[in-house]
Amino acid sequence: MASFDINNVRTRIDPARGLEPSPRLVPHCGEISCADCPVRSHAVCGGLELDVVHELAAILTFKEYGEGDPVFDEGEGADHYYVVTSGTVRLYKLMPDGRRQIIGFLYPGDVLGLHDDHMYSYSADALGETCLCRFPAGRLVALMRRFPGLEHRMLEATSHELVEAQANMLLLGRKTAMERVTSFLSRLADQAEARGEPPENLLLPMSRADIGDYLGLTTETVSRALSRLKAKGAIDLENKHVRLRDREVIRDMTGDS
Amino acid sequence: MASFDINNVRTRIDPARGLEPSPRLVPHCGEISCADCPVRSHAVCGGLELDVVHELAAILTFKEYGEGDPVFDEGEGADHYYVVTSGTVRLYKLMPDGRRQIIGFLYPGDVLGLHDDHMYSYSADALGETCLCRFPAGRLVALMRRFPGLEHRMLEATSHELVEAQANMLLLGRKTAMERVTSFLSRLADQAEARGEPPENLLLPMSRADIGDYLGLTTETVSRALSRLKAKGAIDLENKHVRLRDREVIRDMTGDS
DNA sequence: CGGGAAGTTGAAGAGCGTCAAAAGTAGTGG
DNA sequence: CCACTACTTTTGACGCTCTTCAACTTCCCG
């Protein structure tokens, strides 16, 4: 027995310990081992010694999520860390009256579950079919103690998130609606480029309402901004497909220079 | 010789190595050694083994700043980390046209210089007379490698900052002007309480313009919100002195529940 | 196909920004 | 100690951007 399934939770056993992957493949996650994990190169686990990777593999479990499935809720005890292996995760905070602020969208290789004071500071759910690998917090912390390189990678990941959050504070506090939308498109293009995809042709995995809640705007305002960009000939737009006709023109509209 | 002065930079030599503090006292920093540093208990260096503290003391230098003195600028090479020992530091981002977003205000015990990709992601300057102790980044990183407990503390500090930044994203993206101002006052009261000061009696070290640039508002809007709170009898207000007449009333206006 | 959700577009309104002026505060030098 | 000046804060009037509300269209999935 190399893996088993309980409640949609798939436990991975370290192949290095003489166990082999299950022959049954998971629909979209794939029955990947850390050794050939597609996201390892740019994830927290990337660039680590093999013995650390093996120890990580020993404590992780895979889990699949469908559209809108919750991963965890703000305020819950933070008992797990997660790494996205496929799909997209939406992080958000809710106000008692229902107003929502989306904190970020996570893509394969990103970590979630970073917290302070043993409580999740935001809620997380899946945007479409998504697969996460999950680490019990206590055991991961123990591993960080034994392997300082792992803690170093966590610090790097956290610092990176912090820098992004600060950039979003500027966006939310000081940019106009059009600047926010073009900043958003520009960043999506950069991310696509970093993944080796064509940066001009974007497929938005999230709704207009999600974009609005991320940019501090309403759906209508997002829609209007996109329509104006289309009318100006800056983008082609058909529903979730956006094509940046000139990335420089978009960049010049972000307010960032 | 226990310390010397070059360009307003005061180098501390580790007292544990047999050197003693200079008899000449610095105006507001005090000629403190790490052993009796007033901020150590709640700073990064708190809770660390004594040998780590000694090594930290060996690489740090003190530096004083006056009102508005720059500490570093966004985009510069991040060659130092800093810890606030007295005063207040203002972190901010500027847009090319002069719009400013204040990322945070730092008080004694807080770290600055956290970064990504070896570049400061924001600018920092002093709010009034301020004293920082400064660590060369390379040497601090080397210490973190030797003493994993230090890196652990840095991770904790960074995680804490991240959680705060995310809370500010909700504030900037979704709260009304009045909710932002009451959230700000409420947080100042909490911080004062944490420091053991009376949480009802606040002294704002920053201008209305600073508060506005922190909350994504104009000075006028901040002033109007404060005036309305005063008119309602929720606060007493005389210039920089704010007295919360009922902390619960203020809290109920933050939108956070 | 058909029904419900998501997206677009328009018109009206509110909240905050802008501009302007007055009042208050602080620092400087006689 | 007071007068002078420069800056900060407050207050008011007005305008603009974005939100709200509503109708319509498009997309998606059974």
Side-chain angles (χ1 to χ4, degrees):
Chain A
M1 175 192 67
S3 78
F4 49 90
D5 219 324
I6 309 162
N7 284 341
N8 200 26
V9 175
R10 187 159 293 94
T11 303
R12 289 286 306 131
I13 305 293
D14 184 4
R17 290 190 173 176
L19 301 162
E20 51 196 25
S22 154
R24 197 169 58 70
L25 289 188
V26 177
H28 55 280
C29 295
E31 189 62 28
I32 45 179
S33 74
C34 291
D36 44 45
C37 175
V39 305
R40 187 155 75 88
S41 59
H42 50 283
V44 228
C45 27
L48 289 173
E49 311 293 335
L50 270 182
D51 52 347
V52 191
V53 175
H54 288 155
E55 299 258 10
L56 283 171
I59 65 171
L60 74 79
T61 52
F62 273 107
K63 196 168 174 190
E64 303 173 53
Y65 299 82
E67 167 63 36
D69 287 351
V71 180
F72 52 72
D73 279 326
E74 179 173 357
E76 270 179 18
D79 48 0
H80 289 89
Y81 289 92
Y82 300 80
V83 173
V84 184
T85 58
S86 72
T88 312
V89 173
R90 173 172 49 203
L91 309 183
Y92 60 95
K93 282 170 155 294
L94 285 178
M95 291 175 67
D97 63 2
R99 278 176 283 177
R100 182 178 66 157
Q101 176 65 42
I102 292 186
I103 300 303
F105 298 104
L106 299 189
Y107 303 98
D110 293 335
V111 200
L112 61 157
L114 302 170
H115 58 265
D116 191 34
D117 199 27
H118 303 288
M119 262 173 51
Y120 293 122
S121 58
Y122 46 72
S123 303
D125 60 16
L127 236 170
E129 297 295 301
T130 297
C131 206
L132 306 181
C133 71
R134 186 170 84 154
F135 304 88
R139 303 185 69 177
L140 189 67
V141 168
L143 279 189
M144 286 197 280
R145 216 173 287 269
R146 284 177 51 207
F147 301 101
L150 179 58
E151 186 146 50
H152 184 73
R153 292 286 290 163
M154 290 292 279
L155 178 55
E156 284 181 342
T158 309
S159 301
H160 184 74
E161 271 201 57
L162 180 59
V163 169
E164 280 214 335
Q166 289 166 344
N168 278 345
M169 287 176 66
L170 174 65
L171 181 145
L172 293 167
R174 287 298 176 223
K175 290 191 181 181
T176 66
M178 183 56 85
E179 286 169 342
R180 297 182 200 200
V181 171
T182 48
S183 296
F184 179 66
L185 294 177
S186 204
R187 190 134 44 84
L188 284 183
D190 292 345
Q191 289 171 354
E193 192 167 44
R195 271 185 259 114
E197 299 168 20
E200 250 90 47
N201 244 328
L202 305 175
L203 203 160
L204 310 179
M206 70 293 283
S207 70
R208 299 289 189 271
D210 285 337
I211 299 174
D213 283 348
Y214 181 55
L215 301 179
L217 301 170
T218 59
T219 37
E220 295 94 327
T221 303
V222 172
S223 181
R224 273 187 258 268
L226 289 173
S227 296
R228 279 181 52 202
L229 286 172
K230 184 184 181 181
K232 283 176 77 171
I235 63 172
D236 292 336
L237 177 66
E238 30 193 74
N239 205 15
K240 307 265 185 195
H241 292 270
V242 179
R243 180 187 168 76
L244 312 188
R245 298 182 71 101
D246 187 344
R247 226 170 134 192
E248 265 316 302
V249 170
I250 302 291
R251 247 217 127 280
D252 290 344
M253 300 175 72
T254 62
D256 292 331
S257 77
Chain B
M1 174 193 68
S3 77
F4 50 91
D5 221 326
I6 307 162
N7 283 341
N8 199 26
V9 176
R10 188 158 293 91
T11 301
R12 289 286 306 130
I13 304 293
D14 184 5
R17 292 191 173 175
L19 300 163
E20 51 196 25
S22 154
R24 198 168 57 70
L25 289 187
V26 178
H28 54 280
C29 295
E31 189 63 29
I32 47 179
S33 73
C34 290
D36 44 44
C37 174
V39 305
R40 187 154 77 87
S41 58
H42 48 285
V44 227
C45 28
L48 290 172
E49 312 293 335
L50 270 181
D51 51 348
V52 191
V53 176
H54 288 156
E55 298 259 10
L56 282 172
I59 66 171
L60 74 80
T61 52
F62 273 107
K63 195 166 174 191
E64 301 174 53
Y65 299 82
E67 167 63 35
D69 287 351
V71 181
F72 53 73
D73 279 326
E74 180 174 357
E76 270 180 16
D79 48 0
H80 288 89
Y81 289 91
Y82 300 80
V83 173
V84 183
T85 58
S86 72
T88 311
V89 173
R90 174 171 49 202
L91 309 184
Y92 61 95
K93 281 170 156 294
L94 285 178
M95 290 176 67
D97 62 3
R99 279 176 283 176
R100 182 178 66 156
Q101 176 65 42
I102 292 186
I103 299 304
F105 298 105
L106 299 189
Y107 304 97
D110 292 336
V111 201
L112 60 156
L114 302 170
H115 58 266
D116 190 35
D117 199 29
H118 303 287
M119 261 172 52
Y120 293 123
S121 58
Y122 46 71
S123 302
D125 60 17
L127 236 169
E129 297 295 301
T130 297
C131 206
L132 306 181
C133 71
R134 185 170 86 153
F135 303 88
R139 302 185 69 176
L140 189 66
V141 168
L143 278 188
M144 287 197 280
R145 216 173 286 267
R146 284 176 49 206
F147 300 101
L150 179 59
E151 186 146 50
H152 184 74
R153 293 286 289 163
M154 289 293 279
L155 178 55
E156 284 181 341
T158 309
S159 301
H160 184 74
E161 270 201 58
L162 181 58
V163 169
E164 282 214 333
Q166 290 166 344
N168 278 344
M169 286 176 67
L170 174 64
L171 181 146
L172 293 168
R174 287 298 177 223
K175 290 191 180 180
T176 66
M178 184 55 86
E179 286 170 342
R180 298 183 199 199
V181 171
T182 49
S183 296
F184 179 67
L185 293 177
S186 204
R187 190 134 43 86
L188 284 183
D190 293 345
Q191 290 171 353
E193 192 167 43
R195 270 184 260 117
E197 299 169 19
E200 251 89 48
N201 245 328
L202 305 175
L203 205 161
L204 310 179
M206 71 293 283
S207 70
R208 299 289 189 270
D210 285 337
I211 299 174
D213 283 348
Y214 181 54
L215 301 178
L217 302 169
T218 59
T219 37
E220 293 94 328
T221 302
V222 171
S223 181
R224 272 186 259 268
L226 289 173
S227 297
R228 279 181 51 202
L229 286 173
K230 183 183 183 182
K232 283 176 76 169
I235 63 172
D236 292 335
L237 177 66
E238 29 193 75
N239 205 13
K240 307 266 185 194
H241 293 269
V242 179
R243 181 187 168 75
L244 312 187
R245 299 182 71 101
D246 187 342
R247 225 170 134 192
E248 266 315 302
V249 170
I250 301 291
R251 247 215 126 281
D252 289 344
M253 300 177 71
T254 60
D256 292 332
S257 76

